[in-house]
């Protein structure tokens, strides 16, 4: 496909509208409502979001991870290896942005906030609820590190299985667990015709949220 063909690709968004009177006073409650609608629509991977972090030198990086909870309706919970690239970047700079995109509903949600580690008890409970194969994978994979081959990784998994034997569930690795993003800015985007999209942004002011409309 040529660049000219790419430039001609476009879609008209016209399913829904979004106004200040449509949304709830609390940003996370509003997100939960939209997430419930995405789940009810049976969209593919509705809990998937792009997580963006920044290194100590200012280099941003992004990857797709899965939402695993909205604890106390005050944050966005996900799990990973703390020694991974994102884990190292979050240790150096505990700020992040996440983005959900639901094309089936012509919606996206952009979230910015501060990151904190989830309680160890919560991380352990979730880790041990995962399939045994996923638990073994977490032990076997030195996430984000260079490895020699696929075979090397699979051999590590076999060794882990042999070491743990019939133990079930497995203990949670010390370098694996959850993060909670505590938001201070949340934007809800609804596609509209003529690229005049609806954008409602929430910004944290103390314990409350201020709502504003943004130009598309």
């Amino acid at each position: 496909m040529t660049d000219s063909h790419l430039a001609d690709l476009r879609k008209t968004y016209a399913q829904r509208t979004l106004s200040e009177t449509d949304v709830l006073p609390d940003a996370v409650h509003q997100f939960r409502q939209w997430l419930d609608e995405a789940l009810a629509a049976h969209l593919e991977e509705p809990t998937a979001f792009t997580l963006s972090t920044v290194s100590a030198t200012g280099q941003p990086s992004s990857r797709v991870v899965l939402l695993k909870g909205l604890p106390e309706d005050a944050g966005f919970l996900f799990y990973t290896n703390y020694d991974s690239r994102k884990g190292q970047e979050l240790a150096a700079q505990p700020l992040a942005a996440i983005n959900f995109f639901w094309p089936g509903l012509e919606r996206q949600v952009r979230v910015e906030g501060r990151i904190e580690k989830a309680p160890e008890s919560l991380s352990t409970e979730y880790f041990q609820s995962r399939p045994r194969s996923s638990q073994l994978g977490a032990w076997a994979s030195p996430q984000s590190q260079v490895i020699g081959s696929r075979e090397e990784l699979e051999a590590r998994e076999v060794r882990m299985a042999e070491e743990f034997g019939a133990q079930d569930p497995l203990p949670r690795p010390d370098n694996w667990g959850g993060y909670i993003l505590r938001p201070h800015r949340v934007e809800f985007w609804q596609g509209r015709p003529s690229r005049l999209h609806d954008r409602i942004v929430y910004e944290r002011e103390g314990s409350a949220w201020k709502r504003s409309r943004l130009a598309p």
Side-chain angles (χ1 to χ4, degrees):
M1 181 177 289
T2 65
D3 287 351
S4 61
H5 289 144
L6 290 173
D8 289 337
L9 292 175
R10 57 181 50 85
K11 174 181 171 62
T12 297
Y13 298 117
Q15 284 190 27
R16 303 164 189 244
T17 64
L18 180 66
S19 73
E20 294 84 341
T21 59
D22 294 332
V23 295
L24 301 173
D26 185 277
V28 182
H29 292 172
Q30 177 61 39
F31 174 81
R32 184 181 288 277
Q33 178 174 296
W34 269 27
L35 177 61
D36 287 343
E37 291 176 12
L39 292 167
H42 302 291
L43 302 183
E44 188 170 357
E45 296 286 18
T47 63
F49 64 89
T50 300
L51 168 69
S52 298
T53 56
V54 180
S55 72
T57 62
Q59 173 62 53
S61 63
S62 298
R63 75 288 292 159
V64 175
V65 298
L66 299 178
L67 180 70
K68 291 301 180 181
L70 296 166
E72 302 172 357
D73 274 354
F76 297 75
L77 172 67
F78 62 95
Y79 294 91
T80 190
N81 185 313
Y82 292 144
D83 294 334
S84 65
R85 178 176 178 180
K86 56 184 168 299
Q88 293 179 35
E89 291 180 347
L90 291 172
Q93 177 58 278
L95 296 171
I98 63 180
N99 188 84
F100 293 84
F101 181 47
W102 298 313
L105 297 176
E106 300 176 352
R107 286 174 171 172
Q108 66 175 315
V109 183
R110 301 170 61 191
V111 186
E112 300 170 20
R114 177 165 290 274
I115 291 283
E116 62 187 51
K117 283 187 176 180
E120 290 190 10
S121 58
L122 183 62
S123 293
T124 298
E125 179 183 5
Y126 174 71
F127 181 82
Q128 295 184 334
S129 74
R130 305 171 84 207
R132 180 180 172 81
S133 59
S134 297
Q135 295 178 45
L136 285 170
W139 276 99
S141 175
Q143 191 175 116
S144 299
Q145 296 182 28
V146 175
I147 58 175
S149 65
R150 174 76 189 187
E151 290 71 23
E152 177 184 327
L153 183 62
E154 292 172 348
R156 289 173 62 96
E157 182 183 32
V158 170
R159 287 198 304 272
M160 289 295 102
E162 292 173 347
E163 288 183 21
F164 286 114
Q167 185 175 351
D168 188 26
L170 305 186
R172 176 178 62 87
D174 291 338
N175 65 344
W176 192 98
Y179 288 105
I180 299 173
L181 184 146
R182 303 290 185 185
H184 54 244
R185 179 184 174 93
V186 184
E187 180 189 324
F188 295 86
W189 180 98
Q190 179 69 61
R192 297 295 304 277
S194 303
R195 294 300 184 262
L196 296 178
H197 309 302
D198 287 327
R199 298 174 63 189
I200 303 295
V201 64
Y202 290 71
E203 294 176 288
R204 174 74 72 178
E205 291 190 344
S207 60
W209 290 97
K210 174 188 175 183
R211 286 172 288 172
S212 306
R213 174 174 287 272
L214 300 179

